[in-house]
């Protein structure tokens, strides 16, 4: 087999794309036998980086393993004679590419507005200095004060972190005298220039963000966490005991198109009642289980202290401490919580016997790595966000939902306030920063609509409407007849059970499903033990039960968890649990619920609902996600899902447990090896292209994924002799603040589905793109970012975008497009079920069924 071709940095053409597709189809002729395990093939060592170029950002690139850092189909406008398009690439420690503007992929174009504001740097340079104190000054605040006194030399515009000083002017090496206030000792301050930075340098961005923090404070905004809010403009919802604070998330970053200010209009929800009031309510409702209920409702939530507008995550409750207890101040003085709040904040604590909330800061947040606990008084803390009860109400959500026009007006209003404030404008001008007067607009392109395939026909879905009608009125790709199944319900819900069966009989025929009469198990009550004993007895007495369907009272998460543990771990059988609350209402609602239940039952038994055209042959698509429990000490769960057939409608799943809050997976070799073995058993061949979608990775973790997870995936190939498939690894990021707007007439609306931006706001270090694959019925449509970390399949940007968009059509729990590719969604659902409910690995008998839907 020929070695993979390296990336080429030429702009794509129709001819080149056609040749690429023919080459990919040609790989389908390779049909390996299942080989015995053999030794790994030795790889030639990469030559060392020439010392001349070390530290200049000119990393070496691999010829045999092209990385995601090189951008397929994007021609950079690089003026350097060391341009990456004119020299061979070898393997670097971390993939990077020279900054440049990429060409837009040809196709149907659309003009897109972004919540980014272009920043122009007026200064020629920023100068970095190293500052030393002799004798050494330990106190950071004292160092700040001493440097601030040297304005005659440094000027008024400085950014200082205690040892590194940034100035917009150049000064010679100097030694200055200062006096320490605590003891009057003379201190010599030495200032020496170490670097001359370009204004748009990455090293300048941290203090540019500090500068913009000052601008927001000048506009009388309060910093809460990382974002700014305006408590004076809060909306109060008396009925829900909520305050809604309007605010902004702002950050400055360097993108392919230059330096940008990212602005997002956000809200913060603060409860009117204190945590103590909430605990008193819990006590009045359930005295016997008071402490357990408090831990369940409070641990993992975020609270805010109004006296300093700081937020904390509640990690535990210390029932043995009260405000009468003492703690040690930085000066070493012992003081009670009651006295501290009275003297420092002028607050009188009224309830002296309340327990204290525990916040455990992350290690990096504590000086010198010393882990300490922060104790909070419930009377002075307020929960943020919506409770489960309030989440069921639409009113708080409607108040915060902003359509694209409203969102844009808030951004434009902030820019106008900055321009109208002489002090805010002057703060930016001191560092040579000039903001555009409006948001950034650029050109995107729209991917072609995807054809949905059922058993007897294919169709193009109506724009933004989905295909619920088609899948409930026509026969899916594969249907499983249900002849032996069990229906369990408590006696008081017997009328609902009869209505459910009648609705199922009337709906299944149009969907091509044959549903026989179930074995009925009526329970005398709705206790957990009653459900478990009845299910165990029925499953043990019958030869083969295809599926178990249970009706449970509304709000009984404990019953749901017990049934799922029994059916997914102890006695493996596909199960469907329906809340009685969802079966009440008008007939149209019940019919819609029953249709969805029938579709899910078909999926869980191995049926296939719909598909799309997949031109790539011998392809396996993998989805990965990690679930982190809110409870302290609970292990994280890796969900792993892999496709098992050419049209990507059969799936194999695995889960792996790892250390609490560990994001980077460490058992991928085992997961992928077993998926490949099962793929071979089903198809009598191994896939020659494996595309992995890795969800849940933030920017600081990208290099770790590249160095740690990608090698694990590659090592799984060593399980098979002479097996060298091409591998693509794509990181999926959906927790974004990026918004797209499209101008229709005089109004801003959400852009069409399939809108892609792959330039201007993309990263200068990775091959990435933004895709808007779903339709948001309320608020703004937020795209998903995809970062290609590794690509030995020579798939162009266009191929990756088209494949990703296709996969966003294949999530069978929703007859429409979703924000992320279906395998990522399946992996998320699997990890969530195991991490929140099962807490054990599911039975291997269910690994080829979507039992977690």
């Amino acid at each position: 087999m020929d070695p993979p071709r390296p990336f080429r940095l030429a702009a794509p053409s129709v001819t080149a794309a056609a040749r690429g597709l023919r080459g990919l189809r040609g790989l389908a002729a390779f049909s390996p036998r299942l080989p015995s395990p053999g030794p790994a093939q030795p790889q030639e060592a990469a030559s060392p980086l020439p010392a001349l170029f070390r530290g200049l950002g000119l990393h070496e690139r691999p010829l045999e393993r092209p990385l995601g850092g090189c951008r397929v189909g994007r021609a950079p406008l690089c003026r350097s004679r060391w341009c990456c398009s004119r020299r061979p690439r070898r393997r670097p420690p971390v993939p990077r590419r020279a900054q440049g503007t990429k060409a837009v992929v040809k196709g149907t174009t659309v003009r897109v507005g972004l919540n980014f504001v272009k920043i122009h740097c007026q200064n020629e340079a920023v100068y970095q200095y190293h500052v030393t104190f002799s004798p050494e000054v330990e106190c950071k605040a004292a160092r700040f004060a001493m440097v601030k006194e040297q304005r005659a030399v440094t000027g008024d515009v400085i950014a200082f972190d205690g040892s590194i000083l940034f100035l917009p002017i150049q000064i010679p090496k100097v030694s200055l005298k200062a006096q320490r206030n605590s003891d009057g000792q003379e201190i010599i301050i030495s200032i020496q220039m170490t670097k001359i930075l370009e204004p748009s340098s990455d090293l300048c961005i941290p203090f540019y963000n500090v500068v913009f923090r000052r601008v927001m404070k000048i506009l009388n905004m309060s910093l809460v966490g990382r974002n700014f809010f305006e408590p004076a403009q809060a909306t109060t919802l008396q009925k829900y005991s909520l305050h809604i604070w309007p605010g902004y998330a702002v950050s400055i970053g360097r993108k392919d198109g230059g330096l940008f200010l990212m602005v997002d209009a956000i809200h913060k929800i603060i409860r009117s009642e204190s945590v103590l009031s909430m605990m008193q309510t819990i006590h009045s409702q359930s005295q016997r289980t008071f402490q357990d209920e408090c831990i369940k409702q409070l641990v993992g939530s975020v609270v805010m202290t109004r006296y300093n507008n700081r937020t904390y995550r509640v990690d535990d409750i210390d029932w043995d401490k009260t405000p009468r207890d003492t703690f040690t101040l930085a000066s070493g003085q012992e003081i009670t919580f009651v006295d501290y709040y009275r003297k420092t904040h002028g607050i009188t604590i009224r309830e002296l016997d309340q327990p204290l909330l525990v916040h455990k800061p992350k290690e990096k947040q504590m000086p010198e790595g010393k882990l300490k606990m922060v104790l909070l008084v419930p009377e002075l803390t307020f929960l943020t966000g919506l409770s489960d009860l309030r989440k069921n109400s639409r009113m708080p959500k409607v108040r915060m939902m902003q359509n694209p026009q409203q969102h844009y007006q808030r951004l434009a209003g902030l820019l106008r306030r900055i321009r109208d404030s002489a002090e805010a404008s002057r703060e930016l001008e001191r560092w040579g920063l000039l903001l555009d007067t409006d948001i950034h607009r650029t050109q995107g392109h729209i991917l072609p609509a995807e054809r949905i395939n059922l058993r007897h026909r294919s169709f193009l879905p109506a724009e933004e409407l989905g295909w619920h009608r088609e899948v409930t009125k026509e026969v899916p790709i594969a249907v499983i007849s249900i002849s032996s199944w069990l229906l369990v319900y408590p006696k008081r819900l017997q009328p609902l059970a009869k209505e459910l069966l009648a609705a199922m009989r009337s709906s299944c025929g149009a969907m091509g499903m044959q549903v026989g009469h179930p074995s009925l198990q009526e329970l005398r009550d709705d206790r957990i033990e009653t459900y478990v004993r009845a299910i165990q007895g029925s499953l043990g007495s019958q030869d083969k039960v295809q599926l178990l369907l249970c009706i449970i009272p509304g709000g009984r998460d404990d019953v749901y968890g017990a049934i799922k543990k029994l059916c997914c771990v102890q006695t493996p059988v596909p199960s469907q649990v329906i809340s009685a609350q969802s079966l009440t209402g008008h007939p149209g609602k019940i019919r819609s619920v029953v249709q969805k239940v029938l579709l899910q039952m078909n999926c869980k038994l191995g049926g296939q609902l719909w598909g799309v055209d997949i031109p790539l042959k011998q392809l396996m698509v993998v989805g990965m996600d990690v679930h982190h429990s809110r409870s302290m000490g609970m292990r994280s769960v890796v969900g792993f899902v892999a496709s098992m057939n050419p049209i990507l409608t059969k799936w194999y799943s695995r889960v792996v447990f790892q250390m609490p809050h560990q994001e980077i997976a460490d058992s991928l070799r085992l997961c992928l090896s077993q998926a490949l073995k099962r793929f071979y058993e089903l198809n009598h061949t191994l896939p020659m292209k494996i595309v992995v979608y890795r969800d849940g990775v933030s920017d600081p973790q990208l290099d770790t994924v590249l160095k740690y997870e990608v090698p694990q995936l590659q090592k799984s190939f060593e399980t098979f002799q002479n097996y060298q498939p091409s591998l693509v690894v794509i990181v999926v990021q959906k927790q974004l603040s990026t918004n797209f707007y499209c101008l229709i007439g005089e109004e801003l609306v959400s852009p069409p589905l399939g809108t892609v931006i792959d330039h201007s706001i993309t990263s200068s270090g990775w091959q990435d793109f933004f895709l808007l694959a779903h339709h948001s019925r309320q608020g703004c449509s937020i795209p998903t970012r995809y970062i290609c970390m590794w690509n030995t399949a020579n798939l162009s940007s266009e191929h990756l975008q088209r494949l990703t968009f296709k996969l966003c059509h294949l999530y069978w729990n929703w007859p429409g497009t979703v924000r992320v590719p279906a395998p990522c969604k399946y992996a998320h659902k699997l990890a969530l079920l195991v991490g929140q409910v099962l807490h054990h690995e599911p039975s291997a008998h269910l690994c080829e069924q979507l039992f977690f839907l």
Side-chain angles (χ1 to χ4, degrees), residues 54 110 187 194 210 273 320 324 350 375 507 540 632 698 760:
R54 287 187 186 140
V110 60
I187 305 294
T194 55
V210 172
E273 59 181 8
D320 298 324
R324 293 192 181 96
R350 302 184 184 281
L375 298 177
S507 299
M632 293 294 292
S698 60
S760 300

Side-chain angles (χ1 to χ4, degrees), residues 112-364:
V112 178
L114 309 162
N115 60 327
F116 286 74
V117 181
K118 188 72 177 289
I119 299 177
H120 304 275
C121 298
Q122 306 295 305
N123 291 348
E124 294 182 359
V126 174
Y127 302 91
Q128 179 179 324
Y129 301 85
H130 183 60
V131 182
T132 57
F133 298 83
S134 180
E136 184 64 35
V137 177
E138 296 287 344
C139 178
K140 207 171 188 179
R143 280 181 271 170
F144 284 143
M146 292 179 191
V147 170
K148 197 172 183 179
E149 292 172 357
Q150 313 303 322
R151 290 180 178 176
V153 177
T154 63
D156 292 333
V157 185
I158 66 171
F160 183 54
D161 70 354
S163 60
I164 298 176
L165 174 68
F166 294 98
L167 299 176
I169 60 173
Q170 185 173 359
I171 61 174
K173 179 180 179 180
V174 293
S175 294
L176 307 170
K177 293 182 180 180
Q179 194 174 56
R180 185 157 52 193
N181 292 333
S182 59
D183 57 6
Q185 184 176 0
E186 185 177 87
I187 305 294
I188 304 299
I189 304 175
S190 299
I191 303 177
Q192 181 177 5
M193 188 172 71
T194 55
K195 289 181 182 178
I196 301 177
L197 306 173
E198 288 190 9
S200 60
S201 167
D202 286 340
L203 295 174
C204 297
I205 289 174
F207 69 81
Y208 283 165
N209 279 297
V210 172
V211 170
F212 211 83
R213 279 190 175 192
R214 295 176 191 162
V215 170
M216 299 298 279
K217 289 182 179 178
I218 290 171
L219 299 179
N220 295 320
M221 297 195 191
S222 301
L223 179 64
V224 180
R226 298 180 179 179
N227 302 320
F228 289 89
F229 296 92
E230 298 181 277
Q233 304 298 321
T235 301
T236 301
L237 302 181
Q238 296 288 356
K239 179 180 178 181
Y240 302 97
S241 300
L242 296 176
H243 298 297
I244 301 178
W245 290 8
Y248 297 92
V250 293
S251 63
I252 294 175
R254 186 163 63 87
K255 307 295 181 182
D256 276 327
L259 205 61
F260 285 96
L261 170 69
M262 191 284 296
V263 189
D264 191 19
I266 60 175
H267 294 85
K268 184 164 232 24
I269 296 178
I270 315 264
R271 312 278 182 88
S272 301
E273 59 181 8
S274 67
V275 172
L276 177 61
S277 298
M278 180 181 174
M279 296 174 75
Q280 289 170 340
T281 303
I282 296 173
H283 185 267
S284 65
Q285 294 174 348
S286 51
Q287 295 184 17
R288 291 177 56 190
T289 59
F290 168 62
Q291 293 191 3
D292 292 337
E293 281 298 316
C294 285
I295 291 174
K296 179 180 177 181
Q297 295 191 36
L298 292 175
V299 171
S301 60
V302 177
V303 299
M304 191 177 83
T305 48
R306 292 276 188 87
Y307 51 83
N308 59 1
N309 280 348
R310 292 194 62 181
T311 56
Y312 304 87
R313 173 191 165 97
V314 178
D315 294 312
D316 201 356
I317 302 175
D318 194 332
W319 300 98
D320 298 324
K321 287 190 179 296
T322 70
R324 293 192 181 96
D325 285 288
T326 61
F327 67 98
T328 306
L329 295 172
S331 62
Q333 176 190 354
E334 290 277 331
I335 189 172
T336 66
F337 288 89
V338 174
D339 292 340
Y340 170 79
Y341 281 103
R342 186 179 67 250
K343 293 178 181 179
T344 307
H345 299 286
I347 298 173
T348 301
I349 297 177
R350 302 184 184 281
E351 177 56 60
L352 300 181
D353 294 323
Q354 58 187 304
L356 300 183
L357 307 178
V358 178
H359 166 68
K360 298 178 181 177
K362 295 179 181 179
E363 187 173 355
K364 64 181 180 181

Side-chain angles (χ1 to χ4, degrees), residues 557-575 577 604 627 629 634-639 653-657 827-844 846-847 849-853:
D557 292 341
D558 53 346
V559 176
Y560 176 86
I563 295 172
K564 285 298 179 181
K565 286 179 182 177
L566 177 62
C567 297
C568 296
V569 180
Q570 302 167 17
T571 309
V573 61
S575 59
V577 181
K604 293 179 179 182
H627 169 75
S629 176
M634 293 295 291
R635 293 180 297 172
S636 295
V637 181
V638 180
S653 62
R654 283 292 307 270
V655 298
V656 176
F657 289 93
H828 171 76
K829 293 284 287 187
L830 172 61
L832 188 68
L833 175 67
V834 174
Q836 285 191 345
V837 179
L838 304 184
H839 306 301
H840 292 87
E841 186 173 353
S843 170
L846 300 175
C847 67
Q849 295 168 312
L850 299 178
F851 66 93
F852 42 82
L853 287 184

